Amino acid sequence: MKLVIQGKNIEITDAIREYVNQKVEKAVSHFQTLTTEVDIHLSVARNPRINPKQTAEVTIYANGSVIRAEESTESLYASIDLVADKIARQLRKFKEKRHDNKTQSSAKTVTVVDEHPVVADLIGDRTPELPAEVVRTKYFAMPPMTVQQALEQLQIIDHDFYMFRNAETGEINVLYERKTHGGYGVIQPRHSNGNGNSKNGKTAESATSEKSSVAKS
């Protein structure tokens, strides 16, 4: 199993490296047959207004799937402890899901909920703020998968969205959690003829507007 430790605004000392190895290796020790690589990213926020400021993020590549957990506290060691516990739970859930998929043949469906009108003014009197620059780039393999498979991936990566290649259309889609109204939504590309790919008539533009509204709320 390959284990990589990286730091941002922090020096990875021997003591930190040893502590990470001890905690993370213990967390994944029962799942080494599933795990091919473990990436640990430690960071300290420079902005004193950000609290908590010290973050530990663990990303595990397991047989074509990505499992992720992140924790932030005022103590780097506390963040490492918490993220190690969380990634162990995520791995356990992933293993149980794999077992269930092999032993059960019951079909699963994704329920499509009615869309609500998008408010014209999404930000009100707030000023939108964007990062000054791109500070991190990630590359992931995107094997084709169904929406249901993407939903299963979303539930183990500790994010509120998941980008995937739709097996039915071959296009890149984004599955996201709908914070306001509950459930999940899918963002799909809109073609030049003005029609989206969604079978329920939902366009990518409306989905994007909704996610923008959620992100700023």
Side-chain angles (χ1 to χ4, degrees), residues 113-164:
V113 297
D114 294 334
E115 291 301 316
H116 292 258
V118 178
V119 179
D121 185 3
L122 298 177
I123 63 173
D125 58 355
R126 292 170 294 178
T127 302
E129 296 182 2
L130 296 174
E133 59 180 346
V134 176
V135 296
R136 194 174 180 190
T137 301
K138 292 185 177 181
Y139 298 92
F140 294 105
M142 284 193 178
M145 63 178 63
T146 64
V147 173
Q148 180 61 43
Q149 289 171 328
L151 177 59
E152 293 173 359
Q153 289 296 308
L154 175 62
Q155 294 169 343
I156 61 172
I157 63 172
D158 198 26
H159 267 319
D160 57 2
F161 70 93
Y162 184 76
M163 182 177 293
F164 68 101

Side-chain angles (χ1 to χ4, degrees), residues 4-207:
V4 180
I5 304 175
Q6 302 178 64
K8 179 181 179 182
N9 301 331
I10 184 175
E11 179 185 357
I12 306 299
T13 64
D14 290 341
I16 292 176
R17 185 178 300 276
E18 181 179 352
Y19 194 80
V20 170
N21 285 336
Q22 174 188 348
K23 290 294 182 176
V24 176
E25 285 187 359
K26 181 180 179 181
V28 303
S29 60
H30 298 296
F31 309 96
Q32 292 192 19
T33 56
L34 301 175
T35 304
T36 56
E37 181 177 335
V38 181
D39 289 348
I40 299 97
H41 190 268
L42 308 177
S43 62
V44 176
R46 289 179 174 176
N47 189 340
R49 293 178 297 178
I50 299 178
N51 188 28
K53 299 182 293 184
Q54 306 199 37
T55 301
E57 176 186 344
V58 176
T59 304
I60 293 180
Y61 302 91
N63 294 341
S65 297
V66 178
I67 303 167
R68 178 187 172 277
E70 179 179 328
E71 289 289 346
S72 297
T73 69
E74 295 181 354
S75 164
L76 182 63
Y77 287 94
S79 297
I80 294 170
D81 288 343
L82 291 173
V83 81
D85 291 340
K86 178 181 281 189
I87 203 67
R89 293 194 299 270
Q90 296 286 69
L91 280 167
R92 190 177 303 111
K93 184 188 298 184
F94 174 71
K95 185 175 181 180
E96 291 172 354
K97 193 70 176 181
R98 282 169 54 92
H99 180 266
D100 290 343
N101 288 341
K102 290 180 179 179
T103 57
Q104 298 178 5
S105 58
S106 57
K108 298 179 181 179
T109 59
V110 176
T111 302
V112 178
V113 297
D114 294 334
E115 291 301 316
H116 292 258
V118 178
V119 179
D121 185 3
L122 298 177
I123 63 173
D125 58 355
R126 292 170 294 178
T127 302
E129 296 182 2
L130 296 174
E133 59 180 346
V134 176
V135 296
R136 194 174 180 190
T137 301
K138 292 185 177 181
Y139 298 92
F140 294 105
M142 284 193 178
M145 63 178 63
T146 64
V147 173
Q148 180 61 43
Q149 289 171 328
L151 177 59
E152 293 173 359
Q153 289 296 308
L154 175 62
Q155 294 169 343
I156 61 172
I157 63 172
D158 198 26
H159 267 319
D160 57 2
F161 70 93
Y162 184 76
M163 182 177 293
F164 68 101
R165 185 178 300 279
N166 193 309
E168 183 177 350
T169 65
E171 296 175 328
I172 301 300
N173 291 177
V174 176
L175 179 70
Y176 67 96
E177 185 177 355
R178 305 171 75 246
K179 298 292 187 181
T180 304
H181 305 297
Y184 298 91
V186 178
I187 299 177
Q188 300 176 330
R190 186 173 190 175
H191 297 292
S192 58
N193 60 8
N195 296 323
N197 271 343
S198 178
K199 293 183 178 180
N200 66 347
K202 177 181 176 181
T203 64
E205 182 179 19
S206 63

